[in-house]
Amino acid sequence: MNAVSFSLTLASQLEDTAPFLYGGPFDQGILYAHSLGYDCVEIHTARPQELPVEDIDAALSDTGIRISAFGTGRVYAEEGLSLIDPSPKKRGEAVARMKSFITLASRFGCLVIIGCIRGNLSALSQKNFSLQLLSESMTELDRYAAEQEVLLVMEPINRYENNFLCSTDEVADFIHKNAYTNVKLMVDSFHMNIEEKDILDSFAKHYRDIHYIHFADSNRSWPGQGHIDFKKIVAFLKDCNYNKTISAECQYFPEAKIAASHWLSAVKELYKENES
């Protein structure tokens, strides 16, 4: 079995409400992640077309680490673009932006995350209509991702941040109902703690579909700072031979470097404790 990879979340700047552990130039973030001992980086940006690709290439080459995924939520957070916008023009802009991420992901051999870019319902009465719009948008993106040989991962997000497709069951059902070929499931322990009756049961039910994981504790700090039982989660992941990526998407308090270092040491220790 290949070893699981650990990824550091990078953004162009740190914000109070955004759970990223580095803010600054992405090429420097890659060097920083490598210095801390991470295997890869997860890059969050609203405008992939503006990324300094050559600088990023050089940093990846210098360190030997890789990009695990592109996070797309900044598109919605900064520009309000979403895959369920009732305006065909705005929805088309969101789809086009996602295609830019997919094109870039094809170059770097990484995943693309579909999280809050899906948007929020304007009213509960609009749920079925919005799900239809999302289905249409995702069908177009699924086809393009297949052409580019890129995997998309959809993330269940808790009800206080997104007001539909909040649970693992809901997102998994949406993916299967639409029979996508290049869309899989990702999960985040912080969101699961809010939405799932039993986190471990959700992992057990959906582990075949899970292709990417975020680890953060119940207070969105690094594992061990809240009440989520990560020992049982890691034991299960090892038992089912999960060998993909676990990413550090958590709050950067008290300081970003402290959180990034403690996240990695905590998760590595969890895996060490579960060695057979």
Side-chain angles (χ1 to χ4, degrees), residues 94-107:
V95 170
R97 188 70 60 86
M98 289 303 306
K99 287 183 176 179
S100 295
F101 278 107
I102 292 169
T103 300
L104 202 58
S106 180
R107 170 176 179 156

Side-chain angles (χ1 to χ4, degrees), residues 25-31 43 50-63 67 107-108:
F26 290 113
D27 59 326
Q28 295 302 308
I30 291 166
L31 299 177
I43 292 180
E50 296 178 7
L51 286 176
V53 173
E54 292 184 359
D55 292 342
I56 290 173
D57 265 333
L60 294 173
S61 178
D62 288 344
T63 60
I67 299 173
R107 170 176 179 156
F108 288 108

Side-chain angles (χ1 to χ4, degrees), residues 76 84 119-128 130-131 163-164:
Y76 182 63
I84 63 166
N120 278 295
L121 305 178
S122 58
L124 186 58
S125 60
Q126 296 296 306
K127 183 176 181 179
N128 288 339
S130 296
L131 283 170
N163 61 8
F164 77 122

Side-chain angles (χ1 to χ4, degrees), residues 189-207:
S189 58
F190 172 76
H191 299 306
M192 296 177 85
N193 179 66
I194 296 171
E195 295 297 334
E196 309 301 329
K197 183 178 180 180
D198 187 299
I199 295 176
L200 202 60
D201 282 352
S202 290
F203 271 104
K205 183 176 181 180
H206 298 290
Y207 76 92

Side-chain angles (χ1 to χ4, degrees), residues 154-207:
M154 286 194 75
E155 178 184 20
I157 296 177
N158 79 79
R159 71 194 73 182
Y160 305 110
E161 298 179 47
N162 274 101
N163 61 8
F164 77 122
L165 295 183
C166 302
S167 73
T168 308
D169 279 351
E170 289 174 312
V171 174
D173 288 347
F174 177 82
I175 293 170
H176 289 295
K177 179 180 178 181
N178 286 279
Y180 297 127
T181 60
N182 279 60
V183 182
K184 298 296 181 182
L185 180 66
M186 73 162 285
V187 293
D188 182 313
S189 58
F190 172 76
H191 299 306
M192 296 177 85
N193 179 66
I194 296 171
E195 295 297 334
E196 309 301 329
K197 183 178 180 180
D198 187 299
I199 295 176
L200 202 60
D201 282 352
S202 290
F203 271 104
K205 183 176 181 180
H206 298 290
Y207 76 92

